[in-house]
Protein backbone atom coordinates (compact mmCIF):
# COMPACT_ATOMS: atom_id res chain seq x y z
CA UNK A 1 0.00 0.00 0.00
CA UNK A 2 1.39 3.36 -1.00
CA UNK A 3 1.90 6.13 1.56
CA UNK A 4 2.16 9.82 0.73
CA UNK A 5 2.59 13.00 2.76
CA UNK A 6 -0.44 15.29 2.96
CA UNK A 7 1.39 18.22 1.32
CA UNK A 8 2.36 16.10 -1.69
CA UNK A 9 -1.16 14.65 -1.89
CA UNK A 10 -2.53 18.21 -2.00
CA UNK A 11 -0.40 19.03 -5.05
CA UNK A 12 -0.96 15.74 -6.89
CA UNK A 13 -4.52 14.91 -5.78
CA UNK A 14 -6.18 14.53 -9.21
CA UNK A 15 -3.31 12.49 -10.64
CA UNK A 16 -3.25 10.18 -7.64
CA UNK A 17 -7.01 9.65 -7.66
CA UNK A 18 -6.97 8.86 -11.39
CA UNK A 19 -4.38 6.09 -10.84
CA UNK A 20 -5.64 4.78 -7.49
CA UNK A 21 -4.86 1.10 -6.92
CA UNK A 22 -7.25 -1.41 -5.34
CA UNK A 23 -5.32 -1.19 -2.05
CA UNK A 24 -5.82 2.54 -1.89
CA UNK A 25 -3.54 5.23 -0.57
CA UNK A 26 -2.57 6.24 2.96
CA UNK A 27 -2.11 9.96 3.54
CA UNK A 28 0.30 10.84 6.32
CA UNK A 29 1.21 13.99 8.23
CA UNK A 30 4.65 13.96 9.82
CA UNK A 31 4.78 10.19 9.22
CA UNK A 32 1.51 9.53 11.06
CA UNK A 33 -1.39 8.11 9.01
CA UNK A 34 -4.34 10.53 8.93
CA UNK A 35 -6.47 9.24 6.05
CA UNK A 36 -6.99 6.17 3.88
CA UNK A 37 -8.28 6.81 0.35
CA UNK A 38 -9.97 3.82 -1.32
CA UNK A 39 -11.45 3.47 -4.81
CA UNK A 40 -15.24 3.49 -5.00
CA UNK A 41 -16.60 0.02 -5.72
CA UNK A 42 -19.29 0.15 -8.40
CA UNK A 43 -22.17 -2.25 -8.50
CA UNK A 44 -22.02 -3.97 -11.91
CA UNK A 45 -25.79 -4.33 -11.81
CA UNK A 46 -26.09 -0.57 -12.35
CA UNK A 47 -24.56 -0.96 -15.81
CA UNK A 48 -27.11 -3.50 -17.04
CA UNK A 49 -29.54 -1.75 -19.36
CA UNK A 50 -27.89 1.65 -18.92
CA UNK A 51 -27.48 2.08 -22.71
CA UNK A 52 -31.01 1.01 -23.63
CA UNK A 53 -32.39 3.40 -26.22
CA UNK A 54 -29.02 5.10 -26.76
CA UNK A 55 -27.49 2.70 -29.30
CA UNK A 56 -28.85 1.96 -32.77
CA UNK A 57 -27.60 -0.99 -34.82
CA UNK A 58 -27.27 -0.37 -38.53
CA UNK A 59 -26.84 -3.15 -41.06
CA UNK A 60 -26.44 -6.87 -40.62
CA UNK A 61 -24.42 -7.76 -37.54
CA UNK A 62 -24.22 -11.45 -38.41
CA UNK A 63 -22.11 -11.15 -41.59
CA UNK A 64 -18.98 -9.35 -42.72
CA UNK A 65 -20.67 -7.96 -45.82
CA UNK A 66 -18.18 -9.74 -48.10
CA UNK A 67 -19.32 -12.40 -50.54
CA UNK A 68 -17.05 -15.33 -51.23
CA UNK A 69 -17.24 -18.79 -52.72
CA UNK A 70 -15.52 -21.74 -51.14
CA UNK A 71 -14.42 -24.63 -53.27
CA UNK A 72 -14.20 -28.03 -51.68
CA UNK A 73 -12.13 -30.93 -52.95
CA UNK A 74 -13.52 -34.40 -52.58
Amino acid sequence: MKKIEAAEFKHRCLELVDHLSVDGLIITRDGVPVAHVLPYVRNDGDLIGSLRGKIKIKGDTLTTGCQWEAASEQ
Side-chain angles (χ1 to χ4, degrees):
M1 189 171 313
K2 185 176 179 182
K3 294 182 181 182
I4 189 168
E5 279 291 324
E8 185 178 351
F9 178 78
K10 181 179 176 182
H11 292 289
R12 298 179 47 206
C13 178
L14 295 177
E15 173 193 346
L16 293 169
V17 170
D18 285 343
H19 304 316
L20 197 58
S21 70
V22 176
D23 294 334
L25 179 68
I26 294 179
I27 302 171
T28 62
R29 181 173 286 154
D30 297 326
V32 178
V34 293
H36 187 185
V37 180
L38 294 172
Y40 181 75
V41 180
R42 297 183 94 179
N43 182 1
D44 293 338
D46 295 341
L47 298 175
I48 296 173
S50 64
L51 294 177
R52 179 174 287 148
K54 297 179 182 179
I55 296 176
K56 293 184 181 183
I57 298 173
K58 294 183 179 179
D60 188 359
T61 60
L62 301 178
T63 66
T64 61
C66 298
Q67 293 185 7
W68 59 281
E69 293 183 28
S72 63
E73 295 183 27
Q74 295 184 8

